[in-house]
Amino acid sequence: MSSLVSTVASLPTSTVTAANLTHFYDQTSVGLQETVLDRRCRYRGHWYPAETYRLITCAYCYLFVYKKTWRVTATYPFEIVVGENGLGERLRADLSNETAVSQVCSSLKPPEECKPWKTCCKEAEKCCERQLKEGPGIHPDHGKTVCPRTWDGFACWSDTSVGRTESIECPSYVPDVFSGTQAYKTCTTNGTWLQKDDFEWTDYSKCNTFEEYRKVYTASLACNTITIILVLPACFIFLYFRQLRHQHRIRLHICLMLSSFLTSASMITWDLVIASNRMTTANKQDTFIHQNSIACRVLQLTTRYANMAAFMWMFIEGFHLHRLLVHAFSVPKSLLPYYILGYGIPCVPITIYAAIRATDKTFNK
């Protein structure tokens, strides 16, 4: 197998393409043992030896995950050619080579964003292992009653009966993916995967659609607006009448309502500024949440704090009611301990969270 790879590597780039590479392997594999032929994995319509498959799928993972229009060399070791003119630096997409991984990650801004690429490469390797476990590479039923198992660039698909449409959950590394959505791949009646532009095609259109996101956005905006509309009159009534605002339980009610108001107000601000910007900005790098500005971080911390404070005041309301029932004739003289609990306790986890986000580069991106 090593001599086979060396032979391919010696061929000029212009004479070997991704389309005829498999044909080359088929021609030069004559005489090899059947066990060697069986250890091939399928990628976008072609069967490759496992090592070749690993390198070429990892290279294309880089292009697909980051939406690059660069190219991959058609010869071993299938390097990524940086730049639109094909004359730039060459990067080897090999996870087993730490130097190569470092160079690939350094080509990204920030470098920490190479995690999706690594995940895609690892999933491609797992797909190859899965294909090999399912039996011989080329099965007599392939192209007749079954569409062959394959890696499509993002996900792994098993042998599928003709006329069926399979679905999987969209991988997390698909660009702008919305969690919980599905990708679809159709096996046509002639035993081949549905094609577009002469390539096997998978429908990932539902993965990065904002239809579901808009539903969540609209529901969040509506619910938080209703909360503010209902909370403000209640707070006004409690504060307007003196005999009400001096009662301990009413003061606790007011604190709970104010925390609910702050939560809804911060969520509405987040939806109108951050969420709407994400839906209307085509380039992910230009979104507010990706730029991760100081204002965006402060807004997120405020939202989290208000949410935790609201739950804390719910607990205090219940605790105060329990105390009145158990100690009916021992009314607390001051609500200061409650204020410290309601507004102070949420500061502890929020401060820890903020410190981690500020110091850990893995999160701070």
Side-chain angles (χ1 to χ4, degrees):
M1 184 62 68
S2 59
S3 61
L4 178 62
V5 172
S6 300
T7 305
V8 177
S10 65
L11 292 176
T13 303
S14 59
T15 62
V16 182
T17 64
N20 63 29
L21 184 60
T22 302
H23 176 71
F24 174 81
Y25 276 116
D26 290 339
Q27 295 298 317
T28 54
S29 295
V30 176
L32 294 179
Q33 295 182 358
E34 188 67 25
T35 54
V36 176
L37 284 172
D38 288 345
R39 293 196 59 79
R40 293 191 294 179
C41 300
R42 194 173 188 276
Y43 167 60
R44 300 191 78 188
H46 304 290
W47 294 90
Y48 299 102
E51 175 64 12
T52 303
Y53 165 94
R54 185 178 68 84
L55 293 174
I56 198 169
T57 54
C58 195
Y60 276 104
C61 270
Y62 182 92
L63 302 191
F64 294 155
V65 169
Y66 303 112
K67 299 181 179 179
K68 300 291 187 180
T69 56
W70 304 342
R71 69 180 182 89
V72 174
T73 59
T75 56
Y76 184 88
F78 309 104
E79 296 171 311
I80 304 164
V81 182
V82 178
E84 307 300 333
N85 56 9
L87 301 176
E89 179 187 4
R90 293 193 175 192
L91 305 174
R92 183 171 180 175
D94 186 358
L95 288 187
S96 63
N97 187 319
E98 293 184 3
T99 302
V101 171
S102 177
Q103 291 176 345
V104 171
C105 292
S106 298
S107 69
L108 301 169
K109 297 179 181 180
E112 292 82 5
E113 282 202 353
C114 67
K115 183 179 178 180
W117 166 68
K118 291 181 181 179
T119 304
C120 181
C121 293
K122 291 177 182 177
E123 290 300 319
E125 292 181 15
K126 291 179 182 178
C127 183
C128 183
E129 295 173 0
R130 175 174 152 187
Q131 291 183 38
L132 295 175
K133 288 180 180 179
E134 290 181 0
I138 302 177
H139 193 275
D141 291 336
H142 289 167
K144 297 179 181 178
T145 61
V146 172
C147 289
R149 69 202 72 143
T150 191
W151 171 262
D152 66 0
F154 279 132
C156 193
W157 302 86
S158 298
D159 290 346
T160 302
S161 302
V162 296
R164 289 179 56 87
T165 297
E166 295 295 328
S167 64
I168 61 170
E169 184 172 350
C170 297
S172 60
Y173 43 83
V174 172
D176 303 320
V177 65
F178 190 87
S179 60
T181 51
Q182 299 284 312
Y184 302 91
K185 196 170 185 66
T186 300
C187 180
T188 62
T189 54
N190 60 5
T192 60
W193 294 109
L194 181 65
Q195 295 190 359
K196 280 192 176 182
D197 300 325
D198 297 327
F199 284 100
E200 292 180 354
W201 180 74
T202 305
D203 184 7
Y204 284 100
S205 61
K206 302 297 183 181
C207 293
N208 50 16
T209 180
F210 284 109
E211 291 180 7
E212 295 296 327
Y213 192 80
R214 286 191 181 92
K215 292 178 183 178
V216 175
Y217 169 81
T218 303
S220 174
L221 202 59
C223 291
N224 286 302
T225 301
I226 292 173
T227 299
I228 289 179
I229 292 174
L230 296 178
V231 163
L232 286 179
C235 287
F236 174 78
I237 292 172
F238 286 149
L239 292 172
Y240 182 78
F241 296 100
R242 179 180 298 180
Q243 60 269 35
L244 291 178
R245 65 173 178 262
H246 287 298
Q247 296 183 32
H248 283 181
R249 69 176 185 277
I250 299 301
R251 290 184 179 181
L252 295 181
H253 293 339
I254 293 174
C255 288
L256 174 60
M257 291 180 182
L258 288 177
S259 64
S260 298
F261 171 81
L262 181 59
T263 300
S264 296
S266 59
M267 285 299 300
I268 289 176
T269 305
W270 179 273
D271 289 338
L272 293 178
V273 177
I274 306 299
S276 62
N277 173 260
R278 180 188 175 190
M279 290 189 295
T280 56
T281 305
N283 190 351
K284 177 183 176 182
Q285 280 70 26
D286 294 334
T287 59
F288 293 150
I289 196 168
H290 187 83
Q291 293 173 354
N292 199 22
S293 64
I294 297 297
C296 183
R297 299 180 203 179
V298 171
L299 179 58
Q300 186 199 37
L301 291 176
T302 302
T303 303
R304 289 179 178 271
Y305 170 80
N307 195 35
M308 292 188 66
F311 281 102
M312 197 66 200
W313 279 108
M314 291 180 194
F315 165 76
I316 292 173
E317 284 267 16
F319 177 79
H320 182 69
L321 178 60
H322 168 76
R323 192 177 187 282
L324 291 179
L325 293 175
V326 176
H327 305 285
F329 301 101
S330 178
V331 180
K333 297 180 180 180
S334 173
L335 296 180
L336 181 60
Y338 290 157
Y339 294 146
I340 295 175
L341 284 174
Y343 294 119
I345 293 298
C347 291
V348 177
I350 292 299
T351 302
I352 296 174
Y353 172 77
I356 294 175
R357 287 298 301 264
T359 56
D360 194 329
K361 293 183 179 180
T362 304
F363 295 98
N364 188 23
K365 60 179 183 175

